[in-house]
Amino acid sequence: VSRLLVSPLIRTFKKVTGEHAYLQYLDSFRYPLAGEFSLRIDVLKDLRIPSDWGLEIGVLSEVYRNYSTNRLCQVEIADSYDHKHQDLSAEDASTGLSRMSLDISKALFKKLATYGAVFDPGTVRTVKAAYFRIALDLIESYANDALINGLSLDRHAEEQAVELFASNILKAGESFLESGEDSPFMPAWNRVTSVYSEVFADLLEAARADSADYGPVAPPGGGIGSRLPGPPRMASAG
């Protein structure tokens, strides 16, 4: 999804809406859909995090909105990583990569709108058409890279994915235009604590109860922590 959707879609928005520092920022990440990130607690309190597959784009966008980019970095966290793969789900837009592409596209439309980009039905169709051309050109580049390195690339499967993503970009844009009242973010912790001041104490107590029932989750070196599956990139702020 990062290679066939996000990268060409960011380039598309640059072409259609013009260069913007926000798009340059997203494009600077080698793997913006990493799914793993480390944040200081004081940073986390201000973030309004999406509750769908727009999570990674949403978190990066919120950090960009609240902090200077010199407080972020991306790092390798493993020499190799076993990715959690999902089906394309071309027949079911509620699951798999189809659902993911819809949510990510919606997130980008919404974020760009907050920076002043104006979308109408014609613009949305232009985004879809421009994305399709750019993505096909990238597949050609990927195929050449694979050939030089002695690897194989299933161009048919790649183009099938791009065709689905292009269709979903159009659907995401139309959904954005039709549902301006959506609230896609979970409330920031600052808002939660304003109405539920004991939330952190209660969360700690719940964690202790789980630890008593199931045993602590402790990484090497001590401390309580957990590890979520995701690609080998991490964005951090603080």
Side-chain angles (χ1 to χ4, degrees):
V1 176
S2 184
R3 183 170 55 85
L4 293 178
L5 173 69
V6 175
S7 292
L9 186 54
I10 289 174
R11 296 184 188 187
T12 298
F13 280 125
K14 286 182 180 180
K15 187 174 184 178
V16 175
T17 66
E19 293 286 343
H20 191 285
Y22 167 67
L23 292 173
Q24 295 283 18
Y25 160 79
L26 289 181
D27 208 19
S28 71
F29 287 93
R30 187 172 176 184
Y31 213 122
L33 302 184
E36 292 197 353
F37 44 85
S38 173
L39 304 166
R40 293 184 184 274
I41 291 177
D42 62 313
V43 172
L44 186 62
K45 289 179 180 179
D46 290 329
L47 302 187
R48 299 177 67 234
I49 300 174
S51 57
D52 56 19
W53 284 111
L55 171 67
E56 293 90 352
I57 294 296
V59 170
L60 290 176
S61 301
E62 283 287 283
V63 171
Y64 174 79
R65 182 177 66 86
N66 291 335
Y67 297 93
S68 170
T69 55
N70 64 12
R71 297 186 66 186
L72 286 83
C73 68
Q74 55 182 332
V75 298
E76 292 279 6
I77 60 173
D79 293 331
S80 61
Y81 212 100
D82 184 14
H83 292 250
K84 180 181 179 182
H85 299 286
Q86 297 197 51
D87 293 331
L88 189 61
S89 299
E91 304 301 324
D92 185 359
S94 66
T95 62
L97 300 185
S98 184
R99 169 66 183 277
M100 190 181 298
S101 65
L102 276 167
D103 289 347
I104 291 170
S105 299
K106 286 180 186 177
L108 284 170
F109 274 112
K110 291 171 182 175
K111 282 297 180 182
L112 283 168
T114 67
Y115 290 111
V118 178
F119 296 103
D120 56 35
T123 308
V124 169
R125 287 192 292 271
T126 298
V127 168
K128 183 255 188 182
Y131 158 80
F132 190 63
R133 181 66 267 168
I134 291 172
L136 290 179
D137 289 343
L138 282 176
I139 289 176
E140 183 69 27
S141 176
Y142 299 148
N144 291 333
D145 285 343
L147 182 63
I148 290 173
N149 289 281
L151 303 173
S152 61
L153 181 77
D154 188 340
R155 294 187 64 145
H156 176 60
E158 298 268 293
E159 293 196 18
Q160 279 186 318
V162 164
E163 289 166 0
L164 175 65
F165 295 161
S167 175
N168 284 347
I169 288 169
L170 182 60
K171 292 176 183 176
E174 291 171 344
S175 175
F176 166 73
L177 294 177
E178 294 169 0
S179 55
E181 300 300 319
D182 282 357
S183 179
F185 300 106
M186 293 184 285
W189 281 110
N190 280 342
R191 180 177 178 184
V192 174
T193 55
S194 71
V195 295
Y196 182 9
S197 59
E198 301 84 11
V199 61
F200 291 121
D202 288 350
L203 280 174
L204 181 58
E205 186 58 34
R208 286 172 175 161
D210 280 351
S211 179
D213 290 340
Y214 305 108
V217 181
I224 300 298
S226 64
R227 187 172 179 81
L228 301 176
R233 294 282 165 183
M234 176 175 66
S236 66

